[in-house]
Amino acid sequence: MQTPDPLNAPAEEQETPQASRNFSLLALYQVVMRTGWIFKTESIIMPAVLDLMGGTAVLRGFLPMLNRLGQSFPPLIAADYIRQLSYKKRMLAVCSAVMGACFVSLALIWQGSDHERSTALPYLFLLIYGIFFSFVGLHNLVMSLIVGKLVRVTLRGRLMLVSMTLGCLSAVTFAWFFLRRWLGEQTGQFESIFLFTGVAFLLSAMVACCLKEEPDTRSEEHTSELQSRQYLVCR
């Protein structure tokens, strides 16, 4: 039996200009997102920031808990609402924008407050951190739906390869040039780190707005949901 060749697929499965545009934009989106993400490393930068704010060991223990809770319960609660949205890209842009706004807010707070003496600042930091990861969870859900809807099955592996390769190269390059200057032995320019992260996420939101997406119908929603599950399994 002859194996089907994706390059000789039927005309309706051939790559269209709109599909090529969406592929490039989704790759760019993930590259920008990964570049900003490396500047907020949970294992080093965020605990160090909380320590400099005077956070106790108990408060530091909330960081991984807020991380996991934010990525678990909000997507579970909002899954049906997101599934019914006609345009998933709008939710993707909203999630990215809120994630960016959280870190821009942290940059402004760090710049404009006495972070070493304020007793309320660690709790405000944890609040923003929890909001951020709640939208990270929603972002991960809607991103899977977007990929399942806009990228056909035979190209999803290529999308992952391109975005991860270019994203890692971009993230390492920017970290090499900027994090070495912004992180010192005793303290760091965290306002610059937070601002860079926030701007990167806001740029991702702008890229998401440029996606070409047709509104969902009920049958298309069911198909997109099945495709997104296939994408998650592949990941």
Side-chain angles (χ1 to χ4, degrees):
M1 180 180 295
Q2 185 177 3
T3 304
D5 184 1
L7 298 178
N8 297 320
E12 60 270 15
E13 296 184 5
Q14 293 287 350
E15 198 72 9
T16 63
Q18 178 172 313
S20 299
R21 171 190 173 93
N22 286 332
F23 182 94
S24 300
L25 287 173
L26 284 171
L28 176 61
Y29 175 89
Q30 295 182 73
V31 168
V32 178
M33 181 67 69
R34 289 176 187 277
T35 303
W37 192 273
I38 199 174
F39 281 76
K40 48 155 293 300
T41 311
E42 272 72 38
S43 59
I44 300 175
I45 294 178
M46 306 310 282
V49 170
L50 192 56
D51 283 344
L52 290 174
M53 289 179 178
T56 63
V58 174
L59 291 181
R60 287 198 304 273
F62 278 93
L63 292 177
M65 184 178 69
L66 291 173
N67 183 326
R68 297 306 176 188
L69 288 177
Q71 296 188 69
S72 301
F73 286 102
L76 181 65
I77 295 171
D80 190 60
Y81 169 77
I82 294 176
R83 181 181 61 85
Q84 297 180 29
L85 293 176
S86 297
Y87 293 95
K88 305 297 190 295
K89 72 173 186 179
R90 295 175 181 174
M91 188 63 184
L92 184 67
V94 168
C95 291
S96 304
V98 174
M99 290 162 60
C102 287
F103 273 89
V104 171
S105 300
L106 286 176
L108 295 176
I109 292 172
W110 188 269
Q111 180 67 26
S113 64
D114 187 357
H115 50 269
E116 295 182 353
R117 297 183 179 181
S118 175
T119 57
L121 197 56
Y123 300 95
L124 178 59
F125 173 82
L126 289 176
L127 175 63
I128 296 175
Y129 190 83
I131 294 172
F132 171 78
F133 270 103
S134 295
F135 278 89
V136 169
L138 297 175
H139 165 272
N140 293 341
L141 174 62
V142 73
M143 185 65 186
S144 299
L145 291 172
I146 282 284
V147 171
K149 181 179 179 181
L150 300 182
V151 182
R152 58 189 176 91
V153 176
T154 54
L155 291 178
R156 292 174 195 168
R158 186 183 304 175
L159 175 63
M160 185 180 299
L161 174 64
V162 171
S163 61
M164 290 185 65
T165 302
L166 296 181
C168 290
L169 289 174
S170 174
V172 170
T173 300
F174 277 93
W176 175 263
F177 282 105
F178 292 112
L179 276 183
R180 292 192 305 164
R181 304 177 186 177
W182 293 342
L183 287 179
E185 294 183 0
Q186 301 298 327
T187 183
Q189 301 178 36
F190 291 106
E191 65 277 6
S192 299
I193 295 174
F194 291 154
L195 185 61
F196 184 95
T197 303
V199 169
F201 291 159
L202 291 175
L203 289 176
S204 296
M206 296 173 62
V207 174
C209 292
C210 297
L211 291 168
K212 294 295 183 181
E213 179 187 9
E214 299 296 330
D216 279 338
T217 62
R218 294 300 299 179
S219 59
E220 288 174 345
E221 288 177 5
H222 180 67
T223 302
S224 177
E225 183 178 359
L226 291 177
Q227 291 176 336
S228 65
R229 289 176 181 175
Q230 294 174 355
Y231 174 72
L232 286 173
V233 170
C234 292
R235 292 182 66 185

